[in-house]
Amino acid sequence: MVDAETIANAGFKLSVDKIKNFEVRPDDIFLLTFPKSGTTWMKEILPLVMNGGDIDAITGTSRDVLVPYLEFQLSADDDPIMREVQKQMLIPDGFALDQLQSPRLLVSHLRSEFLPRAIEEKRVKVIYVARNPKDIAISSHYFVKAVQLCGIVDSNEPSQAKAYQDFSEFFPEFLVMKGIAQIVHYHGTRWHEHVLPWWERRHDRNVLFLKYEDMIQDLKACVRQIAKFMDVRLTDGAVDKIRDHCSFQSMKNNKMALKNTYCTNVLGVKAEEGSPFVRVGGVGLWKNTLTVAQNETFNEIYQEWIKGSDLEMTFEL
Ligand code: PPS
């Protein structure tokens, strides 16, 4: 169990109490994800579903304004690094969550215990996206290679000063969420601690539980599911438009989705390396990286993680 002190000390300084006491509106919609599970993808889809597929209406606006990160936004007042990060996410000075019109779309990577109390009390809508943890591990490793050079992590701290060029250096830390993994998954939460509480609540009326792999297989069906959950009527044409605009290829050419400014100025990612937010995409990427031994270790640990749960993830298509 990760306590409030750990969460406050890992990476960014999160304003734990402010987040817990955040005033939720009854019609807020929360997107919740374990990092690297398809957050950027959903941050493109949700505003479009909300506005009936009007792509022009979101062009030129930071996706971090359309769907702001709850924890980054609320912690920015107390943490200068976070304020700088917000700037590089193209969030205007003075931006505040209470300025947003209802219904607000908000996103968080926090596990359930650290979310605002009022989400549960007011039973506000939660869209949860889960991705298989092997592909998440690979995706996180690419992110780590970027962030370890960017100054967010402390280069005096031995576990953070490693090169992490090879997946084998990152893999053991990912499994237990220590070292740099704790920084990039900035609250040290392991995958199952994040996913399972929402899987258990998947039949609640205010919860929509989606899987990244289902989005890969049939994005149109997922867009329809999301619209129904959000009480939005979409024409067939609008569903097609959203599907096309949010395809991997289309998002690869979408500067706002790629978060180019943030990648260059915060993560220090070079243009030729490409954005870690829209990178390769797909299911089963881990097969190109995990050794037989690493895969066996992962399988054993994964079985422990999901023991007693009927959650089934798709690891390959
Ligand atoms: S983050 O840092 O937590 O916000 O990352 P997140 O956005 O959750 O996850 C990044 C991965 O999502 C992939 N992605 C997509 N896959 C399929 N289709 C679309 N349109 C799409 N957009 C983003 C992205 O490539 C990252 O996965 P990997 O495996 O690294 O490619």
Side-chain angles (χ1 to χ4, degrees), residues 35-41 109 131 139 212 246 277 279-281:
K36 302 294 156 204
S37 301
T39 325
T40 311
W41 198 2
H109 286 317
R131 186 183 191 188
S139 187
Y212 173 95
C246 298
F277 298 103
R279 197 182 60 88
V280 183

Side-chain angles (χ1 to χ4, degrees), residues 4-246:
E5 195 183 343
T6 310
I7 203 172
N9 290 336
F12 300 124
K13 290 184 191 63
L14 296 177
S15 302
V16 176
D17 292 338
K18 223 188 255 181
I19 296 167
K20 214 56 213 159
N21 297 321
F22 176 66
E23 208 170 306
V24 167
R25 297 181 194 158
D27 56 1
D28 283 341
I29 299 173
F30 279 84
L31 165 63
L32 303 179
T33 57
F34 187 82
K36 302 294 156 204
S37 301
T39 325
T40 311
W41 198 2
M42 284 298 275
K43 280 168 67 115
E44 200 67 22
I45 296 170
L46 295 183
L48 288 175
V49 169
M50 182 96 101
N51 75 14
D54 184 356
I55 291 159
D56 292 343
I58 66 164
T59 305
T61 305
S62 165
R63 284 16 180 184
D64 296 305
V65 167
L66 295 172
V67 192
Y69 273 102
L70 182 76
E71 55 271 26
F72 292 177
Q73 192 61 41
L74 294 182
S75 307
D77 289 344
D78 308 324
D79 181 0
I81 295 184
M82 191 69 80
R83 272 202 299 284
E84 184 53 28
V85 167
Q86 294 283 97
K87 206 163 111 192
Q88 301 301 337
M89 284 178 166
L90 307 181
I91 297 176
D93 276 348
F95 174 78
L97 298 179
D98 56 13
Q99 292 169 358
L100 290 174
Q101 279 185 354
S102 290
R104 295 182 295 191
L105 293 168
L106 301 165
V107 60
S108 177
H109 286 317
L110 290 173
R111 64 190 270 182
S112 53
E113 292 93 314
F114 294 109
L115 287 167
R117 279 188 197 88
I119 292 184
E120 180 67 31
E121 288 161 8
K122 296 190 180 170
R123 300 240 144 210
V124 298
K125 285 184 178 161
V126 166
I127 299 175
Y128 190 89
V129 184
R131 186 183 191 188
N132 85 72
K134 291 185 186 175
D135 282 332
I136 290 179
I138 307 300
S139 187
S140 297
H141 178 229
Y142 278 90
F143 199 69
V144 155
K145 286 195 276 184
V147 295
Q148 54 140 359
L149 300 170
C150 75
I152 288 178
V153 299
D154 179 357
S155 55
N156 296 319
E157 170 64 38
S159 68
Q160 296 172 33
K162 278 203 239 164
Y164 293 102
Q165 284 310 307
D166 197 282
F167 180 72
S168 62
E169 292 173 79
F170 173 65
F171 180 55
E173 297 190 358
F174 177 83
L175 292 177
V176 294
M177 280 299 151
K178 291 286 176 220
I180 202 151
Q182 187 177 359
I183 305 299
V184 291
H185 295 266
Y186 50 79
H187 37 80
T189 300
R190 288 171 300 165
W191 179 85
H192 62 298
E193 295 166 328
H194 205 287
V195 176
L196 291 184
W198 292 105
W199 172 247
E200 278 150 26
R201 294 184 52 187
R202 68 196 179 282
H203 297 307
D204 291 5
R205 282 185 53 203
N206 65 317
V207 176
L208 176 64
F209 189 100
L210 295 173
K211 294 179 185 164
Y212 173 95
E213 292 77 13
D214 292 340
M215 291 169 64
I216 291 279
Q217 279 189 295
D218 192 347
L219 184 56
K220 247 172 104 164
C222 291
V223 168
R224 286 211 171 88
Q225 249 185 303
I226 294 166
K228 188 167 176 232
F229 180 72
M230 286 168 63
D231 288 324
V232 174
R233 263 170 197 264
L234 287 181
T235 61
D236 287 347
V239 174
D240 285 343
K241 234 161 67 174
I242 296 171
R243 189 259 329 259
D244 293 347
H245 177 83
C246 298

